Amino acid sequence: MFSKRYSRLHPYVPGEQPTDRPYIKLNANENPFPPSPRVKHAVSRALEDRSLLARYPDPDSTELRVAIAEFLNNTGGLLSDIPKAKNYLGFKITPDMIFCGNGSDEVLSFVFCTFFDSDRPVILPEFTYSFYPVYCGFYDIPMCPVPLGQDWTLDADRMVSEAQKTQSPVIFANPNAPTGLALTTWEVKHMIEKAPRGQVFVVDEAYTDFSDQTCLPLLAEYDNIIIVRTFSKSLSFAGMRLGFAVASPHLIHALLTSKNSFNHFPVDVITQRAGAAVCEDIPYCERCVKDVIEERNALIAFLKQKGWFVLDSKANFVFAKKEGVAGKEIYGKVKERGILIRHFDTKGIEDFVRITIGTKKQMDALKAALEDI
Amino acid sequence: MFSKRYSRLHPYVPGEQPTDRPYIKLNANENPFPPSPRVKHAVSRALEDRSLLARYPDPDSTELRVAIAEFLNNTGGLLSDIPKAKNYLGFKITPDMIFCGNGSDEVLSFVFCTFFDSDRPVILPEFTYSFYPVYCGFYDIPMCPVPLGQDWTLDADRMVSEAQKTQSPVIFANPNAPTGLALTTWEVKHMIEKAPRGQVFVVDEAYTDFSDQTCLPLLAEYDNIIIVRTFSKSLSFAGMRLGFAVASPHLIHALLTSKNSFNHFPVDVITQRAGAAVCEDIPYCERCVKDVIEERNALIAFLKQKGWFVLDSKANFVFAKKEGVAGKEIYGKVKERGILIRHFDTKGIEDFVRITIGTKKQMDALKAALEDI
């Protein structure tokens, strides 16, 4: 009764959500803070409009795309506390450069569907966001995974030379997952300069608000770059499912065509309104990001002091290991103490654990648990 | 830069949403009434939980599936005012028989992906919900469209004999779109009895709450039937994007596996809560459906009296034509008078218009416009 397609599928395994007891959840890279209080007002206002919920939503998310473009222009594309020039991006992002979907996972799916093909591999890092191989399987796209360097950084040179060899598109997360390490904008510019100009070059910036870099300024120079962003991390919106891509209007037009061929109303009306409201409250979002970065840096210092090997995270999580203790063991002992962190069985990173940054109180509980072990 | 897959796509054309002036919208089969007032309370309560929006939603929509199962059991699977036996369904629908998605369009997409293959055609009516051919194109599934009978009804015998011939799965909407005509449950039982038992048999019941029949009771006898439902029509939820499938647990398990391979959090937390709240307010939903049915029957009588040819709709819309006047002309003249109805250019149905049933006031305005023309 099942399709051949079905037999090829490999379900993605999300961070666990056990319900046997209350846990401090540091396993899904969620934001410990709620979204801007403006969400509540925007949603309440939307609920007052009696006909709104019964009508199909704007299929183009028009107002939301205007709000996102303004948000990027007003923040310079980054929420982290870096010195901000008045015109950091160097150009103005317009709403026709924005494509919205139900979380960046759906946006990524449309990117894979629209730009990657079965006749050439997509170049990606060996360890990166685990949804990329899932989509390759789904769309029957071959992969060329490039090993990370000895220091766990992306091997930019090798990725580009593989892309040149097969005239292939490139995708990676920056900061990367689960390492948390990031290439600088200049390093990415160097890559895209040498990558095939006739193929898309995708940078997944899910975590970039917690770093000090964004590749958005490269949009002014390269019309084959696609930047993917999510509301789930820095904007505290994981429960609402909202992500977007930023690219030149002709690539966005292609994504819209794919969407309209497949599911013509992906973002519901409440999420459209709530997302626009979040974009208007930049000071609140900046404060949340700042707090997370401070706690992250404190955790890195703590772990290093306790003799851990810790990667220099630019994200809202820390990827670390302790010589002589299996990652799985750390995960298990922390879980016994009511705290969930993430461990991957994948060969090559099985020694590590990935810890999402929570509130100060949550991090104090984690540190106490780690001291205890 | 674009994939071959992309070049094959045919975007679906949804009902227009012009913004040049206010219109009475009778072109997208939306419900003229807002959803149950309980939605507002459920969403407000959800917004009080500060951490809810920042956390990923329950990927399995557990509570929503419990609510939907209860809703179906309590209503006997139909909101229309038919005599209801205490145990109309004849068995109990359990939550593991429910699969939820972002609108029934997404549910249908997972059905096509999971059960239909490139090596045999899917049997469907020539005129039916226009998303089926879209998904066939997307998943590269051949189609065997079966012409409707002279009286615009589904040709059940021919569909079944085609299915037997190629050992193929079957899909149709019942009531069908855009005709509004429905097969009885007994006629469908007769079809499934003769259809290949090793292939799924899909009945899209998007509009069934406005009819006097549902195929849900057939689930007790046949483990290859899949019933697809939506919250967008009878439950006034088009803006929120929620649909579901009902089938035997092993088919639902396969749909969940597909979903988890593709997009592991399709229904956001607000929609999960709001959807469950709707399911608890059966009297309100029944009232809305009753009002729509009354207005539909009044419109059918009005049109017949004015000499139109009108199909006997079991849905929340009416499909009709007026001898000697082109459907496009009627559509255009009604639009000039501030009312949107739907016209299809598709050969064979180009004489017809499809009119969504609105409130009494909206239907009076429509009747006045039609008198005027």
Side-chain angles (χ1 to χ4, degrees):
Chain A
M1 229 179 269
F2 305 101
S3 68
K4 288 194 227 58
R5 202 178 303 105
Y6 175 73
S7 64
R8 277 203 314 267
L9 293 178
H10 301 285
Y12 172 83
V13 183
E16 62 185 331
Q17 302 185 336
T19 49
D20 56 330
R21 57 178 277 195
Y23 284 97
I24 296 178
K25 250 185 119 272
L26 305 176
N27 70 332
N29 297 346
E30 295 152 330
N31 199 309
F33 303 109
S36 159
R38 296 202 186 190
V39 168
K40 205 163 126 178
H41 299 128
V43 173
S44 302
R45 228 171 21 243
L47 292 171
E48 294 304 324
D49 180 346
R50 283 173 56 83
S51 75
L52 194 71
L53 293 187
R55 300 288 173 194
Y56 284 106
D58 170 14
D60 298 322
S61 298
T62 312
E63 285 174 32
L64 175 59
R65 289 160 76 200
V66 169
I68 290 172
E70 275 316 291
F71 173 76
L72 294 175
N73 290 322
N74 291 338
T75 58
L78 265 186
L79 284 172
S80 65
D81 188 25
I82 55 160
K84 271 179 200 127
K86 192 102 182 115
N87 185 16
Y88 179 81
L89 290 178
F91 70 107
K92 218 168 160 58
I93 293 174
T94 48
D96 61 354
M97 296 173 68
I98 308 287
F99 170 83
C100 297
N102 280 313
S104 66
D105 288 341
E106 189 176 70
V107 174
L108 285 164
S109 167
F110 283 123
V111 167
F112 276 64
C113 165
T114 308
F115 302 108
F116 299 166
D117 237 326
S118 303
D119 61 359
R120 50 178 187 264
V122 51
I123 314 297
L124 74 180
E126 184 184 358
F127 295 112
T128 188
Y129 183 38
S130 50
F131 239 108
Y132 307 155
V134 168
Y135 288 139
C136 281
F138 186 82
Y139 290 117
D140 197 19
I141 298 159
M143 288 186 287
C144 173
V146 174
L148 300 182
Q150 284 295 329
D151 57 356
W152 298 93
T153 56
L154 255 64
D155 190 339
D157 287 343
R158 177 132 171 235
M159 286 182 70
V160 165
S161 84
E162 294 289 348
Q164 285 172 331
K165 215 184 297 170
T166 45
Q167 289 295 302
S168 288
V170 173
I171 186 167
F172 58 94
N174 197 47
N176 196 22
T179 65
L181 298 176
L183 297 175
T184 66
T185 305
W186 280 104
E187 287 171 308
V188 176
K189 180 179 159 64
H190 202 65
M191 283 177 83
I192 194 170
E193 195 63 52
K194 289 189 286 181
R197 203 55 65 89
Q199 296 292 329
V200 295
F201 187 99
V202 185
V203 185
D204 181 348
E205 292 197 338
Y207 298 105
T208 212
D209 274 328
F210 303 104
S211 82
D212 47 10
Q213 307 265 342
T214 167
C215 290
L216 286 173
L218 301 181
L219 280 161
E221 286 176 79
Y222 304 96
D223 68 355
N224 63 329
I225 191 169
I226 299 174
I227 316 265
V228 179
R229 292 283 190 98
T230 179
F231 273 60
S232 299
K233 309 300 181 185
S234 54
L235 300 176
S236 305
F237 230 50
M240 291 289 265
R241 318 307 306 128
L242 184 58
F244 62 96
V246 195
S248 64
H250 85 287
L251 297 187
I252 294 301
H253 174 79
L255 288 171
L256 285 168
T257 301
S258 285
K259 174 186 83 65
N260 291 337
S261 304
F262 187 72
N263 184 342
H264 52 307
F265 301 114
V267 181
D268 71 72
V269 65
I270 295 292
T271 305
Q272 287 190 33
R273 298 283 182 101
V278 167
C279 290
E280 284 162 12
D281 198 356
I282 295 171
Y284 177 89
C285 301
E286 282 179 336
R287 251 187 341 265
C288 294
V289 164
K290 187 163 171 282
D291 286 355
V292 168
I293 291 175
E294 277 175 18
E295 285 304 324
R296 176 192 71 200
N297 294 344
L299 178 66
I300 292 175
F302 169 87
L303 291 173
K304 281 186 173 166
Q305 193 221 322
K306 298 287 167 194
W308 286 57
F309 174 77
V310 192
L311 294 181
D312 180 28
S313 171
K314 301 286 184 191
N316 70 338
F317 58 85
V318 165
F319 199 56
K321 64 179 174 178
K322 174 91 192 207
E323 194 74 48
V325 195
K328 195 164 195 159
E329 190 185 333
I330 298 168
Y331 154 81
K333 289 198 166 162
V334 169
K335 185 173 177 182
E336 282 168 20
R337 286 160 178 82
I339 302 173
L340 292 174
I341 60 176
R342 190 91 195 254
H343 170 259
F344 301 90
D345 279 326
T346 321
K347 204 177 143 46
I349 56 171
E350 68 273 36
D351 292 344
F352 284 84
V353 290
R354 192 194 68 187
I355 303 167
T356 302
I357 303 304
T359 59
K360 182 164 184 354
K361 205 173 143 197
Q362 291 173 328
M363 299 323 282
D364 287 346
L366 173 80
K367 288 174 194 166
L370 291 175
E371 297 260 29
D372 198 20
I373 297 173
Chain B
M1 229 180 269
F2 305 101
S3 67
K4 287 194 229 54
R5 199 180 304 104
Y6 175 74
S7 64
R8 277 203 314 266
L9 293 177
H10 301 285
Y12 172 83
V13 183
E16 62 185 332
Q17 301 185 336
T19 51
D20 55 332
R21 57 179 276 195
Y23 284 97
I24 296 178
K25 250 183 120 276
L26 305 176
N27 69 333
N29 296 348
E30 295 152 329
N31 198 310
F33 304 108
S36 159
R38 296 204 186 188
V39 167
K40 205 164 130 178
H41 299 129
V43 173
S44 302
R45 228 170 24 244
L47 292 171
E48 293 304 323
D49 180 345
R50 282 172 57 81
S51 76
L52 194 71
L53 293 188
R55 299 288 174 193
Y56 285 106
D58 170 13
D60 298 322
S61 299
T62 311
E63 285 173 34
L64 174 60
R65 288 160 75 199
V66 169
I68 291 172
E70 275 316 291
F71 172 76
L72 294 174
N73 290 323
N74 291 337
T75 57
L78 265 187
L79 283 173
S80 64
D81 189 25
I82 54 161
K84 270 180 201 129
K86 192 102 184 118
N87 186 16
Y88 179 80
L89 290 178
F91 70 107
K92 220 172 159 55
I93 293 174
T94 48
D96 61 353
M97 295 172 69
I98 309 286
F99 171 82
C100 297
N102 280 312
S104 66
D105 288 340
E106 188 175 70
V107 173
L108 285 165
S109 167
F110 283 124
V111 167
F112 276 64
C113 165
T114 307
F115 302 109
F116 299 166
D117 237 326
S118 303
D119 61 359
R120 50 177 186 266
V122 51
I123 314 297
L124 75 180
E126 184 185 356
F127 296 112
T128 188
Y129 183 36
S130 51
F131 238 109
Y132 307 155
V134 168
Y135 287 140
C136 281
F138 186 82
Y139 290 118
D140 197 21
I141 298 159
M143 289 186 289
C144 174
V146 174
L148 299 182
Q150 284 294 330
D151 57 356
W152 300 92
T153 55
L154 256 62
D155 189 340
D157 286 343
R158 177 132 172 235
M159 286 182 70
V160 165
S161 84
E162 293 289 348
Q164 284 172 331
K165 215 184 298 173
T166 45
Q167 289 295 302
S168 289
V170 173
I171 187 168
F172 59 93
N174 197 48
N176 195 22
T179 63
L181 297 176
L183 297 174
T184 66
T185 305
W186 279 104
E187 287 172 307
V188 176
K189 181 179 160 63
H190 202 63
M191 283 178 82
I192 194 169
E193 195 63 53
K194 290 190 285 179
R197 205 54 67 88
Q199 296 293 329
V200 295
F201 188 99
V202 185
V203 185
D204 182 348
E205 292 198 338
Y207 299 104
T208 213
D209 274 328
F210 303 104
S211 82
D212 47 9
Q213 307 265 342
T214 167
C215 291
L216 285 172
L218 301 180
L219 280 160
E221 287 176 76
Y222 304 96
D223 69 355
N224 63 330
I225 191 169
I226 300 175
I227 314 266
V228 178
R229 291 283 190 100
T230 180
F231 273 60
S232 298
K233 310 299 181 187
S234 55
L235 299 175
S236 305
F237 231 48
M240 290 291 264
R241 318 307 306 126
L242 184 57
F244 61 97
V246 196
S248 65
H250 84 288
L251 297 188
I252 294 299
H253 174 79
L255 287 171
L256 286 168
T257 302
S258 285
K259 175 186 82 67
N260 291 336
S261 304
F262 188 74
N263 185 344
H264 51 309
F265 300 115
V267 181
D268 72 72
V269 65
I270 294 292
T271 305
Q272 286 189 35
R273 298 283 181 100
V278 167
C279 290
E280 285 163 13
D281 198 356
I282 294 171
Y284 177 89
C285 301
E286 283 179 336
R287 250 186 342 265
C288 294
V289 163
K290 187 163 170 281
D291 286 355
V292 168
I293 291 175
E294 278 175 16
E295 285 305 323
R296 177 193 70 200
N297 295 345
L299 179 65
I300 291 175
F302 170 86
L303 291 173
K304 281 186 173 166
Q305 193 221 320
K306 299 286 167 194
W308 287 56
F309 174 78
V310 192
L311 294 181
D312 180 28
S313 172
K314 300 286 186 192
N316 69 338
F317 58 84
V318 166
F319 199 55
K321 63 178 173 179
K322 172 93 192 206
E323 195 75 47
V325 195
K328 195 164 194 160
E329 192 186 330
I330 298 169
Y331 154 82
K333 288 198 167 160
V334 169
K335 186 173 175 182
E336 281 167 19
R337 285 158 179 81
I339 302 173
L340 292 173
I341 61 176
R342 190 90 195 255
H343 170 258
F344 301 89
D345 279 325
T346 321
K347 203 177 145 43
I349 56 171
E350 68 273 34
D351 292 344
F352 284 84
V353 291
R354 194 194 68 188
I355 303 167
T356 302
I357 304 304
T359 58
K360 181 161 183 357
K361 204 172 143 198
Q362 291 173 330
M363 299 323 282
D364 287 345
L366 173 80
K367 286 174 195 165
L370 291 177
E371 297 261 28
D372 198 19
I373 296 172

